[in-house]
Amino acid sequence: MYDLLKGLRVVEGSAFVAAPTCGLYLAQMGAEVIRFDNIGGGPDFRRWPLAENGSSLYWEGLNKGKKSIAIDLSSPEGREIAQRLAAAPGDDGGLFVTNFPVDGFLSYEKLRALRDDLICVRVMGWADGSQGMDYTINSALGLPLMTGPVGDERPVNHVLAAWDLLTGAYCAFALVSALLARTRGQGGREIRAPLSDIGAATMANLGFTAETWLSGHQRPRMGNDVFGAFGRDFTTRDGQKLMLLAITPKQWSKALEALGIGAEAAALEAELGVSFARDEGLRFAHRERLYPLFERAFAAKTAAELTPAFDAGGVTWGSYQTLEAALDDPRLFKDNPVFQAVTHPSGLTYPAPGAMGTIPQDERRPVAPAPKLGQHTDEVLAEVLGLDGGEIARLHDRGVVAGA
């Protein structure tokens, strides 16, 4: 946790991954992020993975450092409270992150009527308002038909919700950009961020779409081969699988040196009349000739013999390991200062990350856990909306709001 955004108040009305991720990143940079949910929890309050006591580890992960208010969003009075929170006054307020529909009680027009300079970042599925989620957007982009073993026609979904995560990060950037514009006198605005547009634009930014437009067909499946360069998994004598990557000339030369196959690679270059050192594309184009050289070199030694040589030689490589093994990796989890042991709302204590970026000039503050549902209801109603104790009590009595 850092305090670069200290003083900002962001209200979040969201579910799933993208919008909560946006709020998480803002909270970890110091913003006060107030999340409102239905009494009893929204659609992701019990989402898997679950702890043995039924608590959602998903919820605890995406809502660290936020405040929680529980409201009956089906009631007119509850919806009015949500609107007032989103549009609450203050130079550092009026910042709203949501994935609620464009129309309805949280539409930009309704909120702007309460606060003219409101900034709203709205996560959407499809840009036309149609429902869409990460996996359905991903399937439409063609990627599951490019992923997987050669010759297998079945679609392969990626385990990681990439479009959700990219959208969440983009929304955090967009909100801060809009806030900067507002401080310069340009007023408020709504920024709509559909997963479909994030996905389509990213595919174009990476050259996928231009390649397909110009060639007339999408990229074929190629298993674990790295497209346009030299990279793949190889198996050692003791059956360990290692990932080797050689994109730059230095990476290529170091790999040949460590594996002792420089002479064989040079002979192949002479035969083909090419220079693999100069052109990574040529390594990719002739990978079927190069792979046997590497396969034999890997198969001749154990992982324990190869990996020290790789490290000493500056080879770019990685081992395939389970997440259980990764948890003991000091570079990832075990000794990583990004992680701290935290007691979560489930009552369980386990490591959780703070801000992913490290600022050497600033002190890294303790990781804050996710709130209990409704933990800050009374505090938010009093401090943000200025309600007194009697008004808050009456809201509780009528079931409009709830505490933890």
Side-chain angles (χ1 to χ4, degrees):
M1 308 289 283
Y2 291 107
D3 59 3
L4 275 69
L5 299 179
K6 185 177 181 179
L8 290 187
R9 183 181 65 245
V10 179
V11 175
E12 177 191 316
S14 71
F16 309 121
V17 177
T21 297
C22 173
L24 173 66
Y25 294 159
L26 296 169
Q28 290 180 330
M29 284 296 173
E32 177 191 28
V33 177
I34 301 170
R35 176 188 172 107
F36 65 75
D37 284 281
N38 252 316
I39 295 173
D44 54 355
F45 186 60
R46 296 293 181 191
R47 179 156 297 142
W48 287 26
L50 302 177
E52 289 187 1
N53 63 10
S55 299
S56 171
L57 304 178
Y58 173 101
W59 164 273
E60 293 185 344
L62 284 176
N63 294 299
K64 295 187 296 294
K66 301 177 185 178
K67 293 181 177 180
S68 172
I69 175 172
I71 309 171
D72 178 8
L73 294 173
S74 66
S75 72
E77 195 171 6
R79 292 185 171 193
E80 180 187 355
I81 289 174
Q83 292 171 330
R84 289 175 62 194
L85 283 174
D91 291 341
D92 291 326
L95 307 172
F96 182 47
V97 176
T98 189
N99 65 340
F100 272 74
V102 169
D103 300 319
F105 76 100
L106 291 173
S107 71
Y108 183 66
E109 290 70 25
K110 284 186 170 60
L111 297 178
R112 190 178 181 188
L114 300 175
R115 176 167 180 160
D116 184 68
D117 67 349
L118 178 87
I119 293 171
C120 173
V121 176
R122 191 179 305 273
V123 173
M124 302 170 64
W126 290 88
D128 63 4
S130 302
Q131 184 177 4
M133 299 183 72
D134 186 283
Y135 286 101
T136 61
I137 300 297
N138 197 53
S139 66
L141 288 168
L143 284 171
L145 300 177
M146 300 183 210
T147 306
V150 176
D152 191 333
E153 296 183 358
R154 293 172 296 178
V156 178
N157 290 333
H158 200 293
V159 174
L160 187 70
W163 304 125
D164 277 336
L165 298 172
L166 283 172
T167 300
Y170 186 86
C171 286
F173 154 76
L175 183 141
V176 174
S177 299
L179 176 60
L180 179 61
R182 190 173 78 179
T183 63
R184 293 172 173 172
Q186 297 179 29
R189 51 185 38 84
E190 179 184 28
I191 300 170
R192 298 180 181 180
L195 297 179
S196 60
D197 285 350
I198 300 294
T202 301
M203 294 287 283
N205 291 341
L206 294 174
F208 279 94
T209 56
E211 177 188 8
T212 302
W213 271 321
L214 297 173
S215 69
H217 56 81
Q218 76 172 24
R219 189 177 301 173
R221 282 182 164 151
M222 50 190 65
N224 285 341
D225 294 4
V226 176
F227 177 76
F230 188 87
R232 206 199 75 183
D233 58 296
F234 294 96
T235 305
T236 64
R237 193 176 73 205
D238 55 340
Q240 298 295 309
K241 291 189 178 297
L242 305 179
M243 177 68 190
L244 181 74
L245 192 63
I247 295 178
T248 68
K250 182 179 180 180
Q251 290 173 341
W252 175 251
S253 64
K254 293 295 185 181
L256 295 179
E257 181 181 338
L259 290 167
I261 55 175
E264 291 93 329
L268 184 57
E269 286 178 315
E271 176 191 338
L272 299 173
V274 300
S275 172
F276 295 133
R278 293 196 197 125
D279 190 339
E280 62 178 303
L282 289 174
R283 296 173 222 145
F284 178 75
H286 296 286
R287 65 192 185 282
E288 296 304 331
R289 296 292 304 277
L290 287 166
Y291 284 161
L293 306 181
F294 284 80
E295 288 167 354
R296 287 194 293 270
F298 271 84
K301 295 185 178 181
T302 66
E305 293 171 322
L306 278 175
T307 55
F310 283 172
D311 288 339
V315 176
T316 304
W317 71 282
S319 61
Y320 286 84
Q321 60 185 12
T322 64
L323 182 53
E324 295 96 320
L327 292 179
D328 283 328
D329 190 327
R331 299 171 301 173
L332 292 173
F333 298 103
K334 189 175 182 181
D335 297 327
N336 189 344
V338 168
F339 284 80
Q340 297 173 17
V342 175
T343 300
H344 300 268
S346 60
L348 302 172
T349 299
Y350 56 87
M356 295 183 288
T358 295
I359 306 173
Q361 296 80 17
D362 292 356
E363 177 186 358
R364 180 178 285 276
R365 299 175 183 273
V367 175
K372 294 181 180 178
L373 184 68
Q375 178 179 338
H376 304 93
T377 295
D378 292 3
E379 173 189 330
V380 170
L381 293 175
E383 295 183 1
V384 179
L385 298 187
L387 303 185
D388 62 32
E391 292 173 301
I392 294 172
R394 286 189 288 273
L395 290 173
H396 278 281
D397 292 342
R398 295 198 299 274
V400 177
V401 301

